[in-house]
Amino acid sequence: MKPASNTLNHLLDQLDELRGRLDPRESLSLEQILSRISRVKINDAESLIRLHEILLFLSAYPTNARVRGLAESLLKGFSRRIKTLRASEVDLDSLEHPEVSGIAGLSVTDTFSFFIVRWLAQSHPSEVNLYWDWFEDESRLAESWPRFMPLLEEDAAVEANVPYQTWLRLACPGAKNDLPWLIRQFDSLNKTEKEKAEVYDSQQLYVRWTPAVSATRTGMRLPVRKIFYHREPLIRRRDVSLRAELEKLSPPLQLLSPKQGEAILDMAREASTVRYRELYGFTHGDAKRVFKTNIGRGVDIFVTGLPAEWRLPLRAYHAAMIFKNGVPIGYFEGLSLFERMESGFNLYYTFRDGETAWLYARVLNIFRHLLGVTVFVLDPYQIGHENEEGIESGAFWFYRKLGFRSTSRDVMKLVSAEEDKIAARSAYRTSAKRLRKLVEGSMIFGLGKTPDKSKPGEWDRFQVRNIGLAVQRRMAAKHGGDADRFRAEAVKELTHVLGIRTYDCREAERPALSDFAVMLSLLEDLSEWRDVEKRALVRVIRAKATSNESSYLKLMQKHSRLRSAMISLGSLSAVKE
């Protein structure tokens, strides 16, 4: 690999420094350096990556139209630059790392899920193909391919070194690309969607996608009417009060047409797949329930829920895709019960020097008003537990300074000690070793009127997993581990207590009835609930299958007895040491 020239390194250093400050008064310097770089030849992958990320940031956070235009123009030339490096036999492996993958002119290769591969085969059929070089265990194919390749079992059941690729090539009717045909065969199986996925995913087939420029990080853009130019300094974390932002009115939400909703979900899937990620809410998102809102400063946010058949048993699920001046910059995932939301916020690393705290606060504001949630919880992984990227980025202190606290009393003692050191010594920095101690517990933020940040609240020890594990223990103890019998008897008991009949429930409501039944079988006093509480519980269960899970949450928030019962169940560990 040829080293980057001193001139190029110097220009990139200058550009990176200017990007970091993003001072509108330095726009002319930005323009001049961008113009110079456009004429410089790049001979190594690392310099190309560095330039690509700076240009993406400037496209999302331009100081004026000239800077935006130059950044976009340079990005359009990346396919050509990749071809030049490849022709020169430059090692491009570093460009396929998940943190930088998705550059125009390159591919992504992985054992993507059935749902993503099916979507790729339908939406981008000429751009995807099976990648056999990495495939390791062909015996897996013997379990599934005979279903749609006559007489293959004669070979696969007893022979070694079965030429599966030849079987596939000959079975596929005259097509150069056999992947779409293969996916259609799995899709035609007389099985549920989840069962089809189980069969396909068991093969661990590698698929390579070489996306068009419009589906890459380099070229994906949401059409926008007006670009927001940063003529003032960026909003920094110290300028943001999370509590004040949550109390503000929420921007209006516009329900998109199903066609528009599907187009947004396609963009979200593309943005995730080129980064080797898959988000449940984008893979299975409900195109009929995609909302758009603009929060100002060039930021468009699209919120989606799940159709009834893909919903979680107890929690309500919502996801959001975030665009800045048309550039996809991150996503959000929220899992809610009553007024509590477990929030996952991921701003793509290229844009983390932008207005991260303000963006996070505005996203929470949207969900606070849409769903009525007022308690926000962070999983330990989100802040760095067994996640070195989180440790290196200082995620714990980002959230702590916004007002979050640890749910662990022991951790809060360490936090107090660290905060005393920081207050006493301005140059003090928490070590990585100490940070790993601070992230051992969840973090929580509650929007109460007089919050006491040092006192544990009623949600502090809650984990929905505790309910699931307690259900397993009951199934093993009372029903010999027989899930079908357990569900049937739990539903029978619940319908008797609530005074309803299973056949009066719509087909879409029955999974929720079954899920609530096994959970409520853990309660000893359900039969003692007042009639009004039982009727309200029936409305909650039925709402799980309605078109909008926000109504489910809001009915939950009104049911104080169900809330107390579920908090109690979820706050007790079901695992005995």
Side-chain angles (χ1 to χ4, degrees), residues 137-405:
D137 187 2
E138 290 190 340
S139 64
R140 297 193 190 106
L141 307 183
E143 301 297 323
S144 55
W145 284 19
R147 299 166 193 259
F148 34 79
M149 292 184 190
L151 301 186
L152 172 55
E153 195 168 16
E154 183 77 29
D155 205 356
V158 295
E159 301 291 347
N161 302 316
V162 178
Y164 286 101
Q165 294 182 54
T166 302
W167 279 87
L168 176 59
R169 176 171 52 81
L170 295 175
C172 185
K176 293 182 180 179
N177 189 348
D178 45 27
L179 178 60
W181 177 85
L182 183 63
I183 288 297
R184 286 196 299 273
Q185 308 317 302
F186 280 97
D187 205 20
S188 66
L189 293 174
N190 186 24
K191 293 180 176 293
T192 67
E193 288 285 277
K194 292 179 180 179
E195 289 170 342
K196 292 174 187 177
E198 288 173 4
V199 176
Y200 174 85
D201 293 344
S202 68
Q203 302 170 107
Q204 293 290 291
L205 286 171
Y206 281 93
V207 171
R208 170 161 286 189
W209 179 30
T210 307
V213 173
S214 61
T216 64
R217 293 197 304 120
T218 310
M220 182 183 293
R221 298 291 182 273
L222 177 77
V224 292
R225 293 181 180 178
K226 186 177 180 180
I227 300 297
F228 178 85
Y229 298 109
H230 286 267
R231 307 189 193 281
E232 301 291 337
L234 297 180
I235 300 174
R236 299 299 183 187
R237 196 270 315 150
R238 62 177 175 272
D239 303 318
V240 175
S241 165
L242 179 55
R243 188 169 300 279
E245 291 292 340
L246 289 172
E247 294 286 10
K248 290 180 180 178
L249 293 176
S250 182
L253 293 170
Q254 172 196 354
L255 178 63
L256 302 184
S257 70
K259 183 178 180 180
Q260 292 171 324
E262 194 62 52
I264 291 299
L265 288 172
D266 281 343
M267 289 188 75
R269 292 170 191 135
E270 289 168 347
S272 299
T273 304
V274 298
R275 292 174 169 86
Y276 291 99
R277 302 182 188 203
E278 181 175 350
L279 195 73
Y280 189 79
F282 296 155
T283 300
H284 302 295
D286 187 353
K288 297 177 182 178
R289 301 291 299 178
V290 177
F291 293 87
K292 176 184 178 180
T293 188
N294 183 286
I295 62 172
R297 302 181 74 79
V299 178
D300 290 301
I301 297 177
F302 295 85
V303 176
T304 184
L306 295 171
E309 64 269 22
W310 289 109
R311 290 179 185 164
L312 303 178
L314 300 177
R315 290 175 291 181
Y317 181 102
H318 294 83
M321 190 71 193
I322 308 167
F323 295 83
K324 170 79 171 177
N325 283 323
V327 180
I329 63 170
Y331 61 86
F332 179 90
E333 184 176 51
L335 305 167
S336 307
L337 270 178
F338 301 96
E339 77 277 16
R340 176 188 187 268
M341 171 181 273
E342 298 165 51
S343 65
F345 177 64
N346 194 314
L347 207 63
Y348 301 135
Y349 87 100
T350 304
F351 308 102
R352 290 176 187 171
D353 287 337
E355 298 174 323
T356 307
W358 177 78
L359 281 167
Y360 180 62
R362 296 307 294 160
V363 171
L364 292 193
N365 169 276
I366 291 169
F367 286 105
R368 181 255 185 281
H369 291 283
L370 176 65
L371 306 178
V373 289
T374 57
V375 176
F376 301 94
V377 179
L378 302 170
D379 182 86
Y381 181 84
Q382 181 87 2
I383 54 176
H385 181 61
E386 297 183 353
N387 172 12
E388 283 305 301
E389 182 185 349
I391 295 295
E392 292 170 8
S393 68
F396 174 86
W397 286 117
F398 171 82
Y399 289 108
R400 175 61 180 160
K401 290 175 181 178
L402 284 174
F404 282 80
R405 63 170 174 80

